[in-house]
Amino acid sequence: MTQETYKDLAWITAADMGLGHKRAAWPLAPYGKGGVIIAGSDANTDPDEMALWNRLRRTYEKLSRIKGWPLIGNALFGIMDALMAIPTAYPFRDLSKPTIQNTFVNKLVEQGLCRTFIRQAQSEPLPIVTTFYAQAIAAEKAGLRRIYCVICDTDINRVWVADNPKQSRIEYFVPCGRALRRLKQYGVPDERIYMTGFPLPLELIGDADLSVLRRDLGQRLARLDPQNRFWPLHVHSVEHFLGKKNCPEKRGREVGPVTITFAVGGAGAQKEIGAAVLHSLAPRLADGSFRLNLVAGKRPEVAAYFKEQLEELRKKQPEAAGSVHIVFNPEDAGYLADFAAILHDTDILWTKPSELSFYTGLGLPIIIAPPIGSQEVHNREWLMEIQGGFDQKDPEYANEWLWDLLQEGRLAECAWDGFLKARKYGTYKIAEILKTGTMQRETSPLKR
């Protein structure tokens, strides 16, 4: 399976609504005609349509930041979050009736939301793969065929599904069983749901045998097991799935320092947690035990904040500052490439439970920052269920509790659980469906 063989299979599109939808679409860029088309961006959207996108964007970014407001933040966040709340999973019941959110999206589509992309897609009859529900709804209303929607979270609001799900033509690529069961509650028939897994970057996966992932994970497990707590229990399993050549004989610092990557959300939320982590870990950064990546994403104000915090640390402990790297790139492609590049050597990913929760499938233990929004609450639950993450404790004392998790081998256990239990082949499976109309179902934990 090569990217060249699968070139120009579909229109691949995402919305300019934070990084989540883009991150899900970008691994599919090699298969898309023209790469990834970003609806709501200046380059791909008519001026008249931009006003609608700006209204949606402002709502999204306010929701991401409002919780941190003093005194009234939690109350206002609760009101806004209720609009996108996800029902409880049990009891299993029929939730196919459309909601007020569906009415709102339908009106936006009628007013012209997504029309620029629809005109482009009408120019050549290729399948459409979108990571944003409004584009799928608009494509169906325009009479387009073979519409696929990538689900970006473990659970979703009813707004992701058309008013009449049984008559709708939209098909879904889902990352996990929770999302599949929810779509069935919303009335989507089984034959229009594909359990693909979340699309992960191929530069972190490698070929169909996961050559890059197995190499990176072998090194990571060795660094995360300084006291040899994990290896005696799992040696046979690890060698079986990763191959002996990918399993270093040395453990802990002999393999290299432990690298922690702290990533803010696309709206720049929770940067203060990153600053607290930076200052708390200073002694470990200074002695070379840890390295720290502070990911500001595309936000210049977050990058500036991290730089200020790093300069403050440099004045106090210059030797610690040398072990810190700030990741910032204002362009989508540049940022996503830079982020993927640092994950090869990342041992611990600290972030809120966004779409990055699925990166536990790469064998990355997730330190879970407080969720923002209903879907992230469900993502956190899923991570905890598969044992792919730990809730963060007080960031000001990360130097202590994170060190204890490392010494006990708990982070290595977490990395291994995420690797075995989360799906890794999402990008390949989606390409397979676009090429053949179906996909081969796998039972091996390595090939899911």
Side-chain angles (χ1 to χ4, degrees):
M1 183 186 298
T2 65
Q3 293 182 6
E4 187 64 31
T5 303
Y6 282 62
K7 189 177 180 181
D8 290 354
L9 286 180
W11 297 105
I12 308 295
T13 182
D16 194 11
M17 293 283 292
L19 288 172
H21 302 288
K22 296 176 186 178
R23 199 187 307 276
W26 226 262
L28 306 173
Y31 314 127
K33 186 173 181 62
V36 178
I37 299 164
I38 305 297
S41 67
D42 291 335
N44 296 293
T45 310
D46 289 345
D48 290 345
E49 186 187 337
M50 281 298 295
L52 296 171
W53 284 109
N54 287 336
R55 189 198 317 172
L56 279 177
R57 234 182 330 261
R58 284 193 297 269
T59 301
Y60 166 79
E61 292 183 357
K62 283 180 181 177
L63 182 62
S64 295
R65 295 196 191 108
I66 201 170
K67 200 169 186 180
W69 291 7
L71 301 178
I72 62 171
N74 284 332
L76 290 176
F77 177 83
I79 294 171
M80 295 180 69
D81 190 41
L83 295 174
M84 291 300 289
I86 298 170
T88 58
Y90 303 104
F92 195 90
R93 65 243 189 242
D94 183 354
L95 296 173
S96 59
K97 183 179 178 180
T99 65
I100 189 172
Q101 291 86 352
N102 293 98
T103 302
F104 175 68
V105 171
N106 288 336
K107 287 184 177 179
L108 287 174
V109 170
E110 291 169 4
Q111 292 169 16
L113 193 75
C114 307
R115 66 185 173 198
T116 312
F117 167 72
I118 295 302
R119 282 200 301 268
Q120 187 171 2
Q122 287 171 330
S123 68
E124 186 170 346
L126 293 172
I128 293 170
V129 179
T130 176
T131 60
F132 190 61
Y133 51 84
Q135 291 170 288
I137 301 297
E140 182 167 55
K141 287 182 179 295
L144 297 174
R145 302 285 173 174
R146 285 197 73 185
I147 305 163
Y148 298 100
C149 187
V150 179
I151 302 301
C152 303
D153 294 291
T154 61
D155 211 337
I156 54 173
N157 184 274
R158 175 62 177 79
V159 74
W160 283 79
V161 175
D163 285 357
N164 192 327
K166 287 185 169 49
Q167 293 183 4
S168 173
R169 299 185 306 277
I170 301 171
E171 300 179 71
Y172 293 89
F173 299 143
V174 300
C176 62
R178 275 177 167 241
L180 181 148
R181 291 190 293 273
R182 181 63 75 186
L183 286 173
K184 291 173 68 173
Q185 282 190 322
Y186 291 155
V188 180
D190 281 341
E191 61 269 21
R192 288 198 281 108
I193 308 174
Y194 294 92
M195 181 82 84
T196 58
F198 187 84
L200 298 168
L202 290 182
E203 56 265 47
L204 295 173
I205 295 291
D207 56 24
D209 289 326
L210 307 182
S211 55
V212 174
L213 171 52
R214 289 189 293 135
R215 181 198 67 206
D216 289 350
L217 181 54
Q219 296 289 321
R220 182 178 303 128
L221 290 173
R223 289 191 294 265
L224 290 176
D225 191 24
Q227 300 298 323
N228 205 36
R229 300 285 184 88
F230 169 84
W231 187 248
L233 297 173
H234 300 280
V235 52
H236 299 298
S237 177
V238 174
E239 288 183 345
H240 171 74
F241 285 113
L242 300 189
K244 288 187 178 182
K245 68 176 183 179
N246 292 313
C247 300
E249 294 182 4
K250 298 178 180 178
R251 324 298 296 166
R253 280 294 299 275
E254 291 185 89
V255 186
V258 170
T259 299
I260 302 157
T261 293
F262 177 86
V264 300
Q270 300 184 334
K271 65 182 186 295
E272 295 81 7
I273 297 176
V277 172
L278 170 68
H279 293 293
S280 177
L281 295 183
R284 307 289 183 192
L285 296 169
D287 69 17
S289 298
F290 285 163
R291 293 186 303 189
L292 177 63
N293 295 314
L294 292 172
V295 180
K298 296 174 55 183
R299 292 281 176 175
E301 71 277 13
V302 177
Y305 175 79
F306 283 158
K307 288 177 182 177
E308 291 173 3
Q309 295 296 317
L310 182 56
E311 287 307 308
E312 183 181 321
L313 177 65
R314 195 184 307 277
K315 294 174 184 176
K316 299 176 182 177
Q317 291 183 274
E319 64 278 12
S323 296
V324 181
H325 175 52
I326 295 173
V327 180
F328 164 72
N329 195 309
E331 301 298 326
D332 291 331
Y335 159 69
L336 292 167
D338 290 348
F339 185 73
I342 64 170
L343 290 187
H344 286 292
D345 297 319
T346 291
D347 300 303
I348 302 164
L349 179 57
W350 189 330
T351 186
K352 66 189 181 74
S354 63
E355 77 288 341
L356 283 174
S357 300
F358 300 114
Y359 278 53
T360 189
L362 297 171
L364 284 165
I366 311 290
I367 300 298
I368 309 171
I372 299 175
S374 183
Q375 78 281 2
E376 293 188 2
V377 171
H378 289 269
N379 292 345
R380 174 196 167 274
E381 289 178 356
W382 174 79
L383 268 175
M384 299 293 282
E385 284 178 1
I386 70 167
Q387 298 173 303
F390 291 101
D391 279 335
Q392 72 169 46
K393 301 183 190 304
D394 191 335
E396 292 187 7
Y397 303 106
N399 183 46
E400 298 178 15
W401 58 261
L402 197 59
W403 184 256
D404 284 346
L405 288 175
L406 175 67
Q407 298 302 306
E408 294 167 4
R410 300 284 301 283
L411 291 166
E413 293 270 3
C414 187
W416 191 238
D417 282 332
F419 171 73
L420 290 179
K421 297 172 185 176
R423 295 171 185 270
K424 297 161 280 293
Y425 271 72
T427 304
Y428 281 128
K429 288 299 180 184
I430 290 171
E432 182 183 349
I433 293 166
L434 293 174
K435 182 75 172 179
T436 68
T438 186
M439 72 177 200
Q440 180 179 349
R441 300 189 182 277
E442 304 284 357
T443 56
S444 166
L446 195 65
K447 293 190 174 182
R448 292 191 308 132

